[in-house]
Amino acid sequence: MTSISGDHVKLHFRMDVDEDGWPPASVESLWAVDLGDGTARLDNTPWFVRGVASGDIIKVEPDSEGLLWAGETVRASENCTIRLIVLKDSGSAAARQSVLEIFHKLGTTGEGIERYGMVALDVPPQADLQRIRKLLEHGEAKEWWRWEEGCVTAAWRATSTE
């Protein structure tokens, strides 16, 4: 295990915006812990960046202005990132909080954001992946939310019924 040295830094990720204007920005900045060896460990669940999750070790590339840009993933954490657009009650604060609490009981952490009525879940490998997937699918069928996989693992993919 790499020992953590230094403080939290903002790690910037470049993103491609699609023809519909999504994601709503071309850069997302996430908190990370500088490991002091040209890498950082993500300490934030991504809202929009695809292919990374909290705990991943990412190569850091500073630019001429001192901003830290994300490079390749050096070591994946085995956490998953799942994002939901909460439709129930128009994604109200209470609806987002309810979603967070339901998934927290299955082993996730996460947070909500009012602007998009979103919840971003950090799903560690020891969480109840099968029950989380079933709940995601059930809630989508009931039109409580829509969801997407931001970053998933082989263990997560193995829960798919498709």
Side-chain angles (χ1 to χ4, degrees):
M1 178 102 182
T2 306
S3 64
I4 297 173
S5 63
D7 293 324
H8 281 85
V9 295
K10 279 291 188 169
L11 186 54
H12 304 281
F13 289 78
R14 291 181 177 87
M15 301 179 295
D16 294 324
V17 178
D18 69 19
E19 61 277 357
D20 296 325
W22 196 260
S26 60
V27 174
E28 181 174 4
S29 300
L30 300 173
W31 286 110
V33 175
D34 184 351
L35 299 178
D37 61 358
T39 65
R41 179 183 43 82
L42 287 185
D43 199 25
N44 215 170
T45 304
W47 288 109
F48 305 108
V49 176
R50 294 184 175 277
V52 296
S54 181
D56 287 359
I57 307 296
I58 308 290
K59 184 176 179 186
V60 175
E61 300 173 358
D63 68 12
S64 61
E65 297 174 13
L67 292 176
L68 300 177
W69 292 93
E72 66 186 30
T73 299
V74 175
R75 189 176 74 225
S77 64
E78 296 302 315
N79 292 338
C80 297
T81 301
I82 304 292
R83 292 183 277 258
L84 298 87
I85 301 288
V86 180
L87 304 174
K88 191 171 187 174
D89 297 331
S90 301
S92 69
R96 292 189 315 274
Q97 186 60 39
S98 175
V99 168
L100 287 168
E101 289 170 7
I102 289 167
F103 283 98
H104 179 76
K105 291 175 184 174
L106 300 176
T108 73
T109 59
E111 62 182 305
I113 184 171
E114 181 177 6
R115 183 170 181 186
Y116 304 105
M118 284 179 65
V119 168
L121 298 176
D122 178 42
V123 184
Q126 67 273 18
D128 191 337
L129 302 182
Q130 188 66 46
R131 286 184 60 202
I132 291 167
R133 179 179 287 278
K134 285 182 185 217
L135 180 57
L136 286 167
E137 292 171 351
H138 176 76
E140 186 167 51
K142 293 283 191 181
E143 298 185 357
W144 295 339
W145 54 66
R146 289 199 172 81
W147 64 281
E148 72 170 12
E149 300 170 333
C151 180
V152 297
T153 61
W156 174 263
R157 285 189 291 278
T159 68
S160 179
T161 57
E162 297 179 333

